[in-house]
Amino acid sequence: MPKIHAATVADHRTQQRSALLDAARELLAEGDASKVTFAAVARRTGLARNSVYKYFPDRQHLLTEVVREAAPRWTERIHAALAAAGDSPEERVAAYVTAQLEMVRDGEHRIARATADDQDAAALRAGADEAHRALLDPLVGALRDLGDDAPLITARLLQGFVNAATSALEGGADYDVVNDRAVRLAVAALGGVSHP
């Protein structure tokens, strides 16, 4: 019987699952989903390859769970940035854009954008779509405060600035230049939706 390094079997299983997700996330952050094999994940955690199947039925479940598990961390980072920005909706929108672009700069976005085949891409996209929906919530709140009568639509359109800025950063553009321009465009766009 394997050694258990936790207070209970349930705690041990939670620790093992977390270690497997961490290993998969590290491999994804290197930019290639094809490197996330059960053998590679097992090697990084010191487990036998067949042990990975006790936690995840296949690679797609593992990849989807890595992105879903990262989503709360991304959302917390956005909420913290907006809380620190102050009460002005314009400042909160600027903080929203900057927080996301900082995550791109820091490599967090590579997890969801890792090069993958069609099946892997679908699994990663499923987790990323859920994360993006959660990320829009604080922006929708800032737009409501501004008096926007269709804040979800506006949030999705403003997210387009962030997506374009992300592509620019991934293409090698300077972070400070891209962030400054994306923030200015997003804040300037608010003039079209605010009500006196």
Side-chain angles (χ1 to χ4, degrees):
M1 180 151 189
K3 289 184 180 177
I4 295 176
H5 302 289
T8 66
V9 171
D11 289 344
H12 174 75
R13 284 189 58 78
T14 299
Q15 288 174 3
Q16 294 290 74
R17 187 176 189 282
S18 179
L20 292 167
L21 288 169
D22 287 346
R25 185 171 51 253
E26 289 168 9
L27 289 163
L28 273 176
E30 292 167 11
D32 187 353
S34 67
K35 292 181 181 179
V36 185
T37 63
F38 277 14
V41 169
R43 230 183 347 267
R44 287 207 181 196
T45 56
L47 294 173
R49 182 179 170 273
N50 63 348
S51 295
V52 182
Y53 287 96
K54 294 177 184 174
Y55 301 90
F56 304 99
D58 55 43
R59 286 181 73 247
Q60 281 67 43
H61 281 85
L62 174 60
L63 291 171
T64 300
E65 194 56 31
V66 167
V67 178
R68 282 191 181 138
E69 186 259 350
R73 190 172 63 248
W74 298 338
T75 305
E76 285 168 17
R77 196 159 163 181
I78 298 285
H79 279 285
L82 267 68
D87 295 330
S88 157
E90 291 84 0
E91 289 174 336
R92 288 162 58 200
V93 168
Y96 175 86
V97 171
T98 297
Q100 282 197 74
L101 295 181
E102 284 175 349
M103 287 188 275
V104 173
R105 180 196 62 197
D106 297 346
E108 285 282 334
H109 196 250
R110 271 184 251 141
I111 292 170
R113 294 290 300 242
T115 303
D117 62 30
D118 290 341
Q119 219 173 7
D120 290 343
L124 289 166
R125 203 166 35 251
D129 287 347
E130 189 176 302
H132 280 141
R133 279 192 295 276
L135 288 177
L136 284 179
D137 289 343
L139 180 57
V140 168
L143 293 167
R144 253 192 218 107
D145 292 348
L146 192 65
D148 187 350
D149 58 357
L152 181 57
I153 293 170
T154 305
R156 288 179 175 150
L157 293 171
L158 288 175
Q159 184 63 36
F161 287 123
V162 177
N163 295 345
T166 296
S167 295
L169 291 175
E170 289 175 341
D174 180 77
Y175 168 79
D176 291 324
V177 171
V178 170
N179 181 64
D180 177 65
R181 183 59 53 100
V183 166
R184 285 194 287 137
L185 285 170
V187 170
L190 296 178
V193 298
S194 60
H195 298 290

